[in-house]
Amino acid sequence: MFRYELIKKDKYTGARLGRIITDHGEIETPIFMPVGTQATVKSMNNRELEDIGAQIILGNTYHLYLRPGEDIMAKAGGLHRFMHWDKPILTDSGGFQVFSLGPMRKITEEGVHFVSHLDGSRHFMTPEKSIHMQNVIGADIIMCFDECAPADADYAYTKKSTAMTTRWAARCQAAHKRPDAQALFGIVQGGMFDDLRAKSAADLVAMDFPGYAIGGLSVGESHDKMYHMLDVTTPLLPENKPRYLMGVGSVDALIEGVIRGIDMFDCVLQTRIARNGTAMTSEGKKVIRNAVYQADFSPLDPACDCYVCRNHTRAYLRHLIKCKEILGARLLTYHNLYFTLKLMEKIREAIRNDAVLELRDSVFCQYGIEKIGVYENAGKSIG
Amino acid sequence: MFRYELIKKDKYTGARLGRIITDHGEIETPIFMPVGTQATVKSMNNRELEDIGAQIILGNTYHLYLRPGEDIMAKAGGLHRFMHWDKPILTDSGGFQVFSLGPMRKITEEGVHFVSHLDGSRHFMTPEKSIHMQNVIGADIIMCFDECAPADADYAYTKKSTAMTTRWAARCQAAHKRPDAQALFGIVQGGMFDDLRAKSAADLVAMDFPGYAIGGLSVGESHDKMYHMLDVTTPLLPENKPRYLMGVGSVDALIEGVIRGIDMFDCVLQTRIARNGTAMTSEGKKVIRNAVYQADFSPLDPACDCYVCRNHTRAYLRHLIKCKEILGARLLTYHNLYFTLKLMEKIREAIRNDAVLELRDSVFCQYGIEKIGVYENAGKSIG
């Protein structure tokens, strides 16, 4: 089962309040999805994910294909059972990871030859094999195998690549064995070219996927450019289906993305910077390993009511991070994810009250973000 | 406040059921104390420590002296507040760590010159400085600064060393500024020599410490030898004070130690082997990273009712450990500590029922431990 319900649109922007219904429960949108690359959201356990209000998490097909591999995943009965997570899961197709391998992969029309980053073993990934692996993993939402062209790719390359991604999308759709249990999303590509984005969107919309992702953004271009590509793309996507902006999760981009009609986000930012000792707070980023926090016995974020902010001080967190203690990574990860999920909750509440622009202003002001790509005509240009 | 109450003695062995009362709460004995070296029990948070029934944890003065250091610890108001742990804490004196530095330290009557393992900086630790740092840390139970001689030290060396440890104990007692709030334990040394152990015990008992530790065991000698040294030592310690066997925590040694009248244990074994992928279970040790567990979807320990055993499979734990995921270390640490604390609970229950020897037999049989140092005359030789 998969259904998207549009509950309410913001009066002044493209922001949408909605709901996705899956076999493993409902997801309120707009939503942020913590990334659980290798069948675990790094450093978190399932109980904590529920505590912080995670409604859906990601798995990475590339990583799960290599470890534990198809055989174990099949024997386990899929990823939900393997990691004992009963709420919704989304898997990417492995496309982005494979293309990130750079010289360790070779792209052909049939698929991608690549070398494992773990042991140097050779693999060949095709749209059909990606969908097969995703059928075995059994996530509620799965993704087409696409080529994510680099931000600086030229027009000719991007045009060819985008056309191939569309042909691969058709092969993914044909290969998908469990369309009733798993919703297969198409991925709009087209690089930084308006007309290629439009062509990609039109072709995929014609194929009638239950949801659409926008891929190939936040790959090195400016935020201005990214917001422009969203302005160009989301209006071309059907209103009655969810829209997922892949790999994007900074505070400004979450809000600007929502304003441009995005319903779903994922990003490793929250968990990665946590492990390096950086916290996302209502006062902006705090590099907690800095000496300035050595004897600072105030909470990480005085405006936050999470377990970490209620129980621990900046001085203690700094100590743990300096000592490379696992608990340091745990506590900052917990807080960063909580902070982000809470922000999404505030965004949903703001849409309910037609107050998304006010929320943006107050968050940006507190957080110290310049209004990059301020969306003055939001209410007009996005339906 | 510090008080030890002897509740009941086992009819057939030296085992004692008791209770320690501190300003931060009561501790049921015999007890196992998880080690929180750097103001954190590696990978665990405080909530989890409470979940598994930890009644007291350890801190390491050597590590806390280097990081975060005396100044931060003082400003934080002590370790309880620094790590936000409200239950009892015990700190060691730093002696064992300093002596473990080997060529990086030099012992004199006045104290020990050593080089930090972190940054090569030079330090001089004395009984007075150790006690001062422990007063700043503020643990409920603190330890005398002692020399832990190696297991293979000869008689002459050990005799000299033990005499110095006794002189240092007197200096520690004199330097202790907060005897009402923090109980200072003496540490019996004497290596593998019966008469030196007896002399050390007699000298320290005469100094009337509120509790006694037995140090310098489990440093390379056989378990038989260790049990013999306990047989020799514990009968010489006062019945109305707690006895702490330092750095010992294997399943067999916990039970054999209790049988010989030990009330308190600590060990890094549980947490260290967890991070390396080894679990303590009712069927003995399981090296969960082994390929045999790849597709084993049964619980880690079918006889265990902890969070990990109720929620996860061996195959999943193996996957996490193989992927070096933090959650793997977390889950195995949680289980190993839970397993050990549960064992201590069973031991206390067995003492209540005069059934310690039966418990030992059934645990050793299940666990596959040979009865090393079987304690046939337990009821006779230990009071």
Side-chain angles (χ1 to χ4, degrees), chain B residues 14 17 19 42 51 67 95 98 108 112 119 131 141 146 151 159 165 176 198 220 222 231 254 259 264 305 365 374 377:
Chain B
L17 186 71
R19 184 188 294 133
K42 286 195 189 304
D51 279 357
R67 283 190 309 207
V98 166
T108 69
V112 185
D119 61 2
I131 295 300
I141 301 172
D146 60 331
K159 186 176 180 183
T165 284
H176 186 18
S222 70
D231 286 338
L254 289 171
I259 282 175
M264 306 161 69
D305 63 350
C365 174
V374 171
N377 299 314

Side-chain angles (χ1 to χ4, degrees), chain B residues 35-202:
Chain B
V35 179
T37 302
Q38 307 191 103
T40 163
V41 175
K42 286 195 189 304
S43 93
M44 299 282 287
N45 74 13
N46 291 346
R47 194 153 56 170
E48 289 163 342
L49 286 170
E50 294 189 17
D51 279 357
I52 62 172
Q55 301 185 32
I56 174 171
I57 61 172
L58 242 76
N60 284 120
T61 297
Y62 167 76
H63 290 88
L64 296 173
Y65 164 81
L66 294 177
R67 283 190 309 207
E70 179 187 334
D71 177 50
I72 302 297
M73 193 53 77
K75 284 180 179 151
L79 182 55
H80 285 94
R81 292 182 60 183
F82 184 61
M83 66 180 291
H84 201 217
W85 170 256
D86 297 329
K87 290 187 156 63
I89 298 177
L90 180 151
T91 44
D92 68 2
S93 64
F96 182 75
Q97 273 79 22
V98 166
F99 294 109
S100 303
L101 292 172
M104 290 159 74
R105 51 96 178 131
K106 187 172 164 271
I107 305 166
T108 69
E109 177 71 27
E110 180 57 19
V112 185
H113 297 271
F114 70 94
V115 174
S116 160
H117 74 289
L118 295 174
D119 61 2
S121 56
R122 291 174 179 283
H123 300 268
F124 184 52
M125 183 58 77
T126 64
E128 290 78 13
K129 283 174 83 168
S130 169
I131 295 300
H132 172 70
M133 185 65 200
Q134 291 188 78
N135 282 164
V136 170
I137 295 170
D140 303 272
I141 301 172
I142 67 179
M143 305 302 298
C144 283
F145 190 68
D146 60 331
E147 181 185 358
C148 178
D152 58 0
D154 64 21
Y155 186 85
Y157 183 93
T158 309
K159 186 176 180 183
K160 228 182 90 188
S161 161
T162 305
M164 187 175 69
T165 284
T166 301
R167 291 191 295 275
W168 284 4
R171 286 168 58 188
C172 287
Q173 209 170 30
H176 186 18
K177 294 284 191 302
R178 305 179 62 221
D180 292 340
Q182 302 180 268
L184 173 64
F185 280 26
I187 304 178
V188 177
Q189 289 288 354
M192 304 304 152
F193 304 101
D194 297 8
D195 63 325
L196 297 182
R197 286 276 166 189
K199 169 85 170 110
S200 174

